[in-house]
Amino acid sequence: MQSLSEIDTTSKRASKAVGFSWGIAEEIGKAVRNLELFGLPGIINLNLYLKKIKKKHPHKINKIEKENKNKELCPIYCGVALLDQCKQLEVLSNIKFYNVNFPMLILPFVSKASEILGKKILIQFNNTSFLLNFNKSILSKNVDKQIVTLASEINIELLDNANSFSEKEWKELYKLSEETFVEESESLKSKGAGAGLTDND
Protein backbone atom coordinates (compact mmCIF):
# COMPACT_ATOMS: atom_id res chain seq x y z
CA MET A 1 0.00 0.00 0.00
CA GLN A 2 1.33 3.44 -0.95
CA SER A 3 1.89 5.99 1.82
CA LEU A 4 0.22 9.42 1.76
CA SER A 5 3.66 10.93 1.18
CA GLU A 6 4.18 8.75 -1.91
CA ILE A 7 0.72 9.68 -3.20
CA ASP A 8 1.50 13.38 -2.73
CA THR A 9 4.92 13.23 -4.42
CA THR A 10 3.90 11.06 -7.39
CA SER A 11 0.73 13.10 -8.04
CA LYS A 12 2.80 16.29 -7.98
CA ARG A 13 5.43 14.96 -10.41
CA ALA A 14 2.88 13.48 -12.80
CA SER A 15 1.00 16.80 -12.85
CA LYS A 16 4.17 18.69 -13.65
CA ALA A 17 4.93 16.20 -16.43
CA VAL A 18 1.69 17.08 -18.27
CA GLY A 19 2.25 20.83 -18.13
CA PHE A 20 1.12 22.23 -14.79
CA SER A 21 3.54 24.63 -13.09
CA TRP A 22 5.44 23.37 -10.04
CA GLY A 23 3.28 25.60 -7.82
CA ILE A 24 0.02 24.14 -9.14
CA ALA A 25 1.52 20.64 -9.12
CA GLU A 26 2.29 21.08 -5.40
CA GLU A 27 -1.38 21.92 -4.79
CA ILE A 28 -2.50 18.90 -6.83
CA GLY A 29 -0.25 16.60 -4.78
CA LYS A 30 -1.79 17.83 -1.53
CA ALA A 31 -5.30 17.68 -3.00
CA VAL A 32 -5.03 14.05 -4.13
CA ARG A 33 -3.42 13.11 -0.82
CA ASN A 34 -6.45 14.58 0.99
CA LEU A 35 -8.94 12.79 -1.25
CA GLU A 36 -7.29 9.46 -0.50
CA LEU A 37 -7.07 10.35 3.21
CA PHE A 38 -10.83 11.00 3.24
CA GLY A 39 -11.44 7.67 1.48
CA LEU A 40 -12.32 9.21 -1.90
CA PRO A 41 -10.86 8.11 -5.27
CA GLY A 42 -8.15 10.70 -5.89
CA ILE A 43 -5.51 8.68 -7.75
CA ILE A 44 -7.88 7.05 -10.23
CA ASN A 45 -9.51 10.39 -11.13
CA LEU A 46 -6.20 12.26 -11.42
CA ASN A 47 -4.65 9.51 -13.54
CA LEU A 48 -7.54 9.55 -16.03
CA TYR A 49 -7.68 13.33 -16.13
CA LEU A 50 -3.94 13.71 -16.76
CA LYS A 51 -4.18 11.19 -19.61
CA LYS A 52 -7.02 13.25 -21.09
CA ILE A 53 -5.13 16.57 -21.03
CA LYS A 54 -1.60 15.34 -21.79
CA LYS A 55 -1.71 16.52 -25.41
CA LYS A 56 -3.93 19.56 -24.88
CA HIS A 57 -3.49 21.53 -21.67
CA PRO A 58 -6.70 23.08 -20.25
CA HIS A 59 -7.40 26.81 -20.00
CA LYS A 60 -7.00 28.62 -16.71
CA ILE A 61 -9.93 30.33 -15.04
CA ASN A 62 -8.99 33.82 -13.87
CA LYS A 63 -12.02 35.15 -12.07
CA ILE A 64 -14.72 33.29 -10.17
CA GLU A 65 -18.23 34.50 -10.96
CA LYS A 66 -21.59 33.44 -9.55
CA GLU A 67 -21.96 31.31 -12.70
CA ASN A 68 -18.88 29.96 -14.48
CA LYS A 69 -19.36 28.51 -17.96
CA ASN A 70 -17.10 27.12 -20.65
CA LYS A 71 -17.12 24.26 -23.10
CA GLU A 72 -15.05 22.31 -20.57
CA LEU A 73 -13.61 23.52 -17.25
CA CYS A 74 -10.52 22.15 -15.52
CA PRO A 75 -11.25 21.03 -11.93
CA ILE A 76 -7.70 21.93 -10.88
CA TYR A 77 -7.72 25.49 -12.21
CA CYS A 78 -11.26 25.99 -10.87
CA GLY A 79 -10.14 24.75 -7.45
CA VAL A 80 -7.01 26.90 -7.36
CA ALA A 81 -8.99 29.98 -8.47
CA LEU A 82 -11.50 29.33 -5.67
CA LEU A 83 -8.69 29.24 -3.11
CA ASP A 84 -7.04 32.36 -4.54
CA GLN A 85 -10.37 34.23 -4.41
CA CYS A 86 -11.64 32.57 -1.25
CA LYS A 87 -13.27 35.68 0.21
CA GLN A 88 -15.31 35.97 -3.00
CA LEU A 89 -17.00 32.72 -2.04
CA GLU A 90 -18.31 34.36 1.11
CA VAL A 91 -19.76 37.29 -0.83
CA LEU A 92 -21.45 35.12 -3.46
CA SER A 93 -22.56 32.40 -0.98
CA ASN A 94 -23.65 30.20 -3.91
CA ILE A 95 -21.51 29.44 -6.99
CA LYS A 96 -22.15 27.31 -10.05
CA PHE A 97 -19.68 25.72 -12.47
CA TYR A 98 -20.80 24.15 -15.73
CA ASN A 99 -19.10 21.34 -17.72
CA VAL A 100 -16.36 20.45 -15.24
CA ASN A 101 -14.07 17.54 -16.09
CA PHE A 102 -13.50 14.94 -13.36
CA PRO A 103 -15.33 17.01 -10.69
CA MET A 104 -14.09 14.83 -7.82
CA LEU A 105 -10.76 16.68 -8.17
CA ILE A 106 -12.27 20.03 -7.16
CA LEU A 107 -13.40 18.71 -3.75
CA PRO A 108 -10.13 19.07 -1.78
CA PHE A 109 -9.68 22.66 -2.94
CA VAL A 110 -13.15 23.62 -1.75
CA SER A 111 -12.53 21.65 1.45
CA LYS A 112 -9.50 23.86 2.11
CA ALA A 113 -11.66 26.93 1.40
CA SER A 114 -14.09 25.65 4.05
CA GLU A 115 -11.26 25.72 6.60
CA ILE A 116 -10.12 29.22 5.58
CA LEU A 117 -13.65 30.66 5.70
CA GLY A 118 -14.66 28.77 8.84
CA LYS A 119 -17.87 27.55 7.20
CA LYS A 120 -19.22 24.20 6.08
CA ILE A 121 -19.67 23.99 2.32
CA LEU A 122 -22.13 21.80 0.42
CA ILE A 123 -21.21 20.64 -3.11
CA GLN A 124 -23.68 18.87 -5.40
CA PHE A 125 -23.25 17.35 -8.84
CA ASN A 126 -24.72 14.38 -10.73
CA ASN A 127 -27.21 13.59 -7.91
CA THR A 128 -24.31 13.32 -5.46
CA SER A 129 -23.68 15.64 -2.53
CA PHE A 130 -20.61 16.29 -0.38
CA LEU A 131 -20.52 18.17 2.91
CA LEU A 132 -17.08 19.69 3.52
CA ASN A 133 -16.27 20.23 7.18
CA PHE A 134 -13.43 22.73 7.70
CA ASN A 135 -10.95 20.47 5.84
CA LYS A 136 -11.34 17.87 8.61
CA SER A 137 -13.75 15.50 6.85
CA ILE A 138 -15.87 15.10 3.74
CA LEU A 139 -19.28 13.48 4.19
CA SER A 140 -20.78 12.10 1.00
CA LYS A 141 -24.25 10.98 -0.04
CA ASN A 142 -25.40 8.97 -3.07
CA VAL A 143 -21.89 8.29 -4.35
CA ASP A 144 -22.49 5.44 -6.77
CA LYS A 145 -19.47 5.92 -9.04
CA GLN A 146 -15.75 6.25 -8.42
CA ILE A 147 -15.31 8.13 -11.67
CA VAL A 148 -17.42 10.97 -12.99
CA THR A 149 -15.78 12.21 -16.18
CA LEU A 150 -17.95 15.31 -16.56
CA ALA A 151 -20.33 17.24 -14.34
CA SER A 152 -22.74 19.33 -16.36
CA GLU A 153 -23.34 21.48 -13.28
CA ILE A 154 -21.62 21.83 -9.91
CA ASN A 155 -23.42 23.78 -7.20
CA ILE A 156 -21.32 25.13 -4.30
CA GLU A 157 -23.17 26.55 -1.31
CA LEU A 158 -21.80 28.09 1.89
CA LEU A 159 -23.82 27.01 4.92
CA ASP A 160 -24.55 29.18 7.93
CA ASN A 161 -22.81 28.01 11.09
CA ALA A 162 -25.34 26.58 13.52
CA ASN A 163 -25.33 24.28 16.55
CA SER A 164 -26.67 20.77 16.15
CA PHE A 165 -28.33 21.04 19.57
CA SER A 166 -30.97 23.27 21.16
CA GLU A 167 -30.37 26.03 23.71
CA LYS A 168 -32.33 23.95 26.28
CA GLU A 169 -30.01 20.94 25.76
CA TRP A 170 -26.96 23.16 26.14
CA LYS A 171 -28.25 24.71 29.40
CA GLU A 172 -29.06 21.29 30.84
CA LEU A 173 -25.58 19.98 30.05
CA TYR A 174 -23.92 23.14 31.38
CA LYS A 175 -25.92 22.91 34.62
CA LEU A 176 -24.70 19.33 35.05
CA SER A 177 -21.09 20.43 34.44
CA GLU A 178 -21.41 23.00 37.27
CA GLU A 179 -21.41 20.12 39.76
CA THR A 180 -17.67 19.79 39.15
CA PHE A 181 -16.97 23.43 40.09
CA VAL A 182 -15.07 23.82 43.37
CA GLU A 183 -15.60 26.89 45.49
CA GLU A 184 -12.29 28.69 45.94
CA SER A 185 -10.98 28.78 49.49
CA GLU A 186 -8.00 30.59 51.04
CA SER A 187 -6.15 27.26 51.07
CA LEU A 188 -6.66 26.77 47.31
CA LYS A 189 -5.64 30.38 46.59
CA SER A 190 -2.31 29.89 48.35
CA LYS A 191 -1.59 26.76 46.24
CA GLY A 192 -2.66 28.29 42.89
CA ALA A 193 -0.40 29.23 39.97
CA GLY A 194 2.11 31.89 40.91
CA ALA A 195 1.45 31.55 44.65
CA GLY A 196 4.46 32.02 46.88
CA LEU A 197 6.68 33.46 44.14
CA THR A 198 8.81 36.46 45.01
CA ASP A 199 9.85 39.13 42.56
CA ASN A 200 13.60 39.53 42.78
CA ASP A 201 13.93 42.22 40.10
Short mmCIF file of all heavy atoms in Angstrom, two decimals, residues 69-100:
data_model
loop_
_atom_site.label_atom_id
_atom_site.label_comp_id
_atom_site.label_asym_id
_atom_site.label_seq_id
_atom_site.Cartn_x
_atom_site.Cartn_y
_atom_site.Cartn_z
N LYS A 69 -19.05 29.40 -16.82
CA LYS A 69 -19.36 28.51 -17.96
C LYS A 69 -18.21 28.47 -18.95
O LYS A 69 -17.52 29.46 -19.17
CB LYS A 69 -20.61 29.01 -18.69
CG LYS A 69 -21.88 28.97 -17.86
CD LYS A 69 -23.07 29.49 -18.64
CE LYS A 69 -24.33 29.46 -17.80
NZ LYS A 69 -25.50 29.96 -18.52
N ASN A 70 -18.04 27.32 -19.55
CA ASN A 70 -17.10 27.12 -20.65
C ASN A 70 -17.46 25.80 -21.30
O ASN A 70 -18.24 25.02 -20.75
CB ASN A 70 -15.65 27.12 -20.15
CG ASN A 70 -14.68 27.56 -21.23
OD1 ASN A 70 -14.89 27.32 -22.42
ND2 ASN A 70 -13.61 28.23 -20.82
N LYS A 71 -16.86 25.54 -22.43
CA LYS A 71 -17.12 24.26 -23.10
C LYS A 71 -16.70 23.11 -22.18
O LYS A 71 -17.42 22.13 -22.01
CB LYS A 71 -16.35 24.20 -24.42
CG LYS A 71 -16.69 22.98 -25.25
CD LYS A 71 -15.94 22.98 -26.56
CE LYS A 71 -16.25 21.72 -27.36
NZ LYS A 71 -15.48 21.68 -28.64
N GLU A 72 -15.52 23.26 -21.57
CA GLU A 72 -15.05 22.31 -20.57
C GLU A 72 -14.18 23.07 -19.57
O GLU A 72 -13.33 23.85 -19.97
CB GLU A 72 -14.23 21.17 -21.20
CG GLU A 72 -15.06 20.15 -21.92
CD GLU A 72 -14.24 18.94 -22.36
OE1 GLU A 72 -13.08 18.80 -21.94
OE2 GLU A 72 -14.77 18.14 -23.14
N LEU A 73 -14.42 22.86 -18.29
CA LEU A 73 -13.61 23.52 -17.25
C LEU A 73 -12.69 22.51 -16.57
O LEU A 73 -13.06 21.35 -16.36
CB LEU A 73 -14.53 24.16 -16.21
CG LEU A 73 -15.26 25.44 -16.64
CD1 LEU A 73 -16.28 25.85 -15.58
CD2 LEU A 73 -14.29 26.57 -16.90
N CYS A 74 -11.51 22.99 -16.22
CA CYS A 74 -10.52 22.15 -15.52
C CYS A 74 -10.80 22.20 -14.02
O CYS A 74 -10.86 23.28 -13.43
CB CYS A 74 -9.12 22.68 -15.81
SG CYS A 74 -7.83 21.95 -14.77
N PRO A 75 -10.95 21.04 -13.37
CA PRO A 75 -11.25 21.03 -11.93
C PRO A 75 -10.10 21.60 -11.10
O PRO A 75 -10.32 22.19 -10.04
CB PRO A 75 -11.47 19.55 -11.62
CG PRO A 75 -10.67 18.83 -12.67
CD PRO A 75 -10.78 19.68 -13.90
N ILE A 76 -8.88 21.44 -11.61
CA ILE A 76 -7.70 21.93 -10.88
C ILE A 76 -7.67 23.45 -10.90
O ILE A 76 -7.57 24.11 -9.86
CB ILE A 76 -6.39 21.40 -11.51
CG1 ILE A 76 -6.43 19.87 -11.67
CG2 ILE A 76 -5.18 21.87 -10.72
CD1 ILE A 76 -6.50 19.08 -10.43
N TYR A 77 -7.77 24.03 -12.10
CA TYR A 77 -7.72 25.49 -12.21
C TYR A 77 -8.93 26.14 -11.53
O TYR A 77 -8.80 27.21 -10.94
CB TYR A 77 -7.61 25.92 -13.67
CG TYR A 77 -6.23 25.73 -14.25
CD1 TYR A 77 -6.04 25.16 -15.50
CD2 TYR A 77 -5.10 26.13 -13.55
CE1 TYR A 77 -4.78 24.98 -16.04
CE2 TYR A 77 -3.82 25.94 -14.07
CZ TYR A 77 -3.67 25.38 -15.31
OH TYR A 77 -2.40 25.21 -15.84
N CYS A 78 -10.08 25.48 -11.58
CA CYS A 78 -11.26 25.99 -10.87
C CYS A 78 -11.00 25.99 -9.36
O CYS A 78 -11.30 26.95 -8.65
CB CYS A 78 -12.49 25.15 -11.17
SG CYS A 78 -13.17 25.39 -12.83
N GLY A 79 -10.43 24.89 -8.88
CA GLY A 79 -10.14 24.75 -7.45
C GLY A 79 -9.12 25.76 -6.96
O GLY A 79 -9.29 26.39 -5.91
N VAL A 80 -8.05 25.94 -7.73
CA VAL A 80 -7.01 26.90 -7.36
C VAL A 80 -7.57 28.32 -7.37
O VAL A 80 -7.29 29.13 -6.47
CB VAL A 80 -5.79 26.78 -8.31
CG1 VAL A 80 -4.81 27.92 -8.10
CG2 VAL A 80 -5.09 25.44 -8.09
N ALA A 81 -8.38 28.65 -8.39
CA ALA A 81 -8.99 29.98 -8.47
C ALA A 81 -9.90 30.23 -7.26
O ALA A 81 -9.93 31.33 -6.70
CB ALA A 81 -9.77 30.13 -9.77
N LEU A 82 -10.63 29.20 -6.85
CA LEU A 82 -11.50 29.33 -5.67
C LEU A 82 -10.68 29.65 -4.43
O LEU A 82 -11.06 30.49 -3.62
CB LEU A 82 -12.29 28.04 -5.45
CG LEU A 82 -13.59 27.90 -6.23
CD1 LEU A 82 -14.13 26.49 -6.08
CD2 LEU A 82 -14.63 28.90 -5.75
N LEU A 83 -9.54 28.97 -4.27
CA LEU A 83 -8.69 29.24 -3.11
C LEU A 83 -8.10 30.64 -3.18
O LEU A 83 -8.04 31.35 -2.17
CB LEU A 83 -7.56 28.20 -3.02
CG LEU A 83 -7.92 26.87 -2.39
CD1 LEU A 83 -6.70 25.96 -2.35
CD2 LEU A 83 -8.46 27.06 -0.97
N ASP A 84 -7.63 31.04 -4.37
CA ASP A 84 -7.04 32.36 -4.54
C ASP A 84 -8.05 33.47 -4.26
O ASP A 84 -7.68 34.55 -3.81
CB ASP A 84 -6.47 32.53 -5.96
CG ASP A 84 -5.20 31.72 -6.17
OD1 ASP A 84 -4.63 31.25 -5.17
OD2 ASP A 84 -4.80 31.55 -7.33
N GLN A 85 -9.32 33.21 -4.58
CA GLN A 85 -10.37 34.23 -4.41
C GLN A 85 -11.37 33.79 -3.34
O GLN A 85 -12.59 33.99 -3.47
CB GLN A 85 -11.08 34.44 -5.76
CG GLN A 85 -10.14 34.91 -6.86
CD GLN A 85 -10.75 34.77 -8.24
OE1 GLN A 85 -11.88 35.19 -8.47
NE2 GLN A 85 -10.01 34.17 -9.16
N CYS A 86 -10.82 33.19 -2.28
CA CYS A 86 -11.64 32.57 -1.25
C CYS A 86 -12.70 33.50 -0.66
O CYS A 86 -13.84 33.10 -0.45
CB CYS A 86 -10.72 32.09 -0.13
SG CYS A 86 -11.36 30.68 0.71
N LYS A 87 -12.33 34.74 -0.41
CA LYS A 87 -13.27 35.68 0.21
C LYS A 87 -14.45 35.96 -0.72
O LYS A 87 -15.53 36.31 -0.26
CB LYS A 87 -12.55 36.98 0.57
CG LYS A 87 -11.54 36.81 1.69
CD LYS A 87 -12.22 36.33 2.97
CE LYS A 87 -11.23 36.07 4.08
NZ LYS A 87 -11.85 35.56 5.31
N GLN A 88 -14.23 35.79 -2.02
CA GLN A 88 -15.31 35.97 -3.00
C GLN A 88 -16.42 34.96 -2.77
O GLN A 88 -17.60 35.24 -2.95
CB GLN A 88 -14.74 35.79 -4.41
CG GLN A 88 -15.76 36.00 -5.50
CD GLN A 88 -15.38 37.16 -6.39
OE1 GLN A 88 -14.50 37.91 -6.07
NE2 GLN A 88 -16.05 37.30 -7.49
N LEU A 89 -16.02 33.76 -2.36
CA LEU A 89 -17.00 32.72 -2.04
C LEU A 89 -17.99 33.21 -1.01
O LEU A 89 -19.19 32.99 -1.11
CB LEU A 89 -16.26 31.50 -1.46
CG LEU A 89 -16.05 30.27 -2.32
CD1 LEU A 89 -15.24 29.25 -1.56
CD2 LEU A 89 -17.36 29.66 -2.74
N GLU A 90 -17.47 33.89 0.02
CA GLU A 90 -18.31 34.36 1.11
C GLU A 90 -19.32 35.39 0.61
O GLU A 90 -20.48 35.40 1.02
CB GLU A 90 -17.43 34.97 2.20
CG GLU A 90 -18.04 34.91 3.56
CD GLU A 90 -17.00 35.05 4.66
OE1 GLU A 90 -15.89 35.53 4.40
OE2 GLU A 90 -17.34 34.69 5.79
N VAL A 91 -18.88 36.25 -0.29
CA VAL A 91 -19.76 37.29 -0.83
C VAL A 91 -20.87 36.68 -1.69
O VAL A 91 -22.03 37.04 -1.60
CB VAL A 91 -18.94 38.31 -1.66
CG1 VAL A 91 -19.85 39.32 -2.33
CG2 VAL A 91 -17.92 39.02 -0.78
N LEU A 92 -20.48 35.72 -2.54
CA LEU A 92 -21.45 35.12 -3.46
C LEU A 92 -22.37 34.11 -2.78
O LEU A 92 -23.50 33.92 -3.19
CB LEU A 92 -20.71 34.45 -4.63
CG LEU A 92 -19.87 35.38 -5.51
CD1 LEU A 92 -19.09 34.57 -6.54
CD2 LEU A 92 -20.75 36.41 -6.21
N SER A 93 -21.85 33.42 -1.78
CA SER A 93 -22.56 32.40 -0.98
C SER A 93 -23.02 31.17 -1.77
O SER A 93 -23.13 30.08 -1.25
CB SER A 93 -23.73 32.99 -0.21
OG SER A 93 -24.85 33.20 -1.03
N ASN A 94 -23.27 31.34 -3.07
CA ASN A 94 -23.65 30.20 -3.91
C ASN A 94 -23.00 30.37 -5.28
O ASN A 94 -23.14 31.41 -5.91
CB ASN A 94 -25.17 30.14 -4.04
CG ASN A 94 -25.63 28.83 -4.65
OD1 ASN A 94 -25.46 28.61 -5.83
ND2 ASN A 94 -26.21 27.97 -3.85
N ILE A 95 -22.25 29.36 -5.72
CA ILE A 95 -21.51 29.44 -6.99
C ILE A 95 -21.81 28.22 -7.83
O ILE A 95 -21.93 27.10 -7.31
CB ILE A 95 -19.99 29.51 -6.72
CG1 ILE A 95 -19.65 30.78 -5.94
CG2 ILE A 95 -19.19 29.48 -8.02
CD1 ILE A 95 -18.22 30.84 -5.50
N LYS A 96 -21.93 28.42 -9.13
CA LYS A 96 -22.15 27.31 -10.05
C LYS A 96 -21.03 27.23 -11.08
O LYS A 96 -20.56 28.26 -11.57
CB LYS A 96 -23.48 27.47 -10.77
CG LYS A 96 -24.71 27.30 -9.89
CD LYS A 96 -25.99 27.34 -10.71
CE LYS A 96 -27.22 27.39 -9.84
NZ LYS A 96 -27.43 26.20 -9.03
N PHE A 97 -20.61 26.00 -11.38
CA PHE A 97 -19.68 25.72 -12.47
C PHE A 97 -20.39 24.78 -13.44
O PHE A 97 -21.08 23.86 -13.01
CB PHE A 97 -18.41 25.04 -11.95
CG PHE A 97 -17.51 25.93 -11.14
CD1 PHE A 97 -17.60 25.95 -9.76
CD2 PHE A 97 -16.56 26.73 -11.76
CE1 PHE A 97 -16.77 26.75 -9.01
CE2 PHE A 97 -15.73 27.54 -11.02
CZ PHE A 97 -15.83 27.56 -9.64
N TYR A 98 -20.18 24.99 -14.72
CA TYR A 98 -20.80 24.15 -15.73
C TYR A 98 -19.72 23.42 -16.54
O TYR A 98 -18.68 23.99 -16.87
CB TYR A 98 -21.68 24.99 -16.66
CG TYR A 98 -22.84 25.64 -15.96
CD1 TYR A 98 -22.74 26.94 -15.46
CD2 TYR A 98 -24.05 24.96 -15.76
CE1 TYR A 98 -23.80 27.54 -14.80
CE2 TYR A 98 -25.12 25.55 -15.10
CZ TYR A 98 -24.98 26.85 -14.61
OH TYR A 98 -26.03 27.44 -13.95
N ASN A 99 -19.98 22.16 -16.87
CA ASN A 99 -19.10 21.34 -17.72
C ASN A 99 -17.69 21.20 -17.13
O ASN A 99 -16.70 21.57 -17.74
CB ASN A 99 -19.02 21.93 -19.13
CG ASN A 99 -20.38 22.06 -19.76
OD1 ASN A 99 -21.22 21.17 -19.64
ND2 ASN A 99 -20.63 23.18 -20.43
N VAL A 100 -17.64 20.65 -15.92
CA VAL A 100 -16.36 20.45 -15.24
C VAL A 100 -15.90 19.01 -15.42
O VAL A 100 -16.62 18.07 -15.11
CB VAL A 100 -16.47 20.78 -13.73
CG1 VAL A 100 -15.12 20.57 -13.05
CG2 VAL A 100 -16.97 22.20 -13.54
#
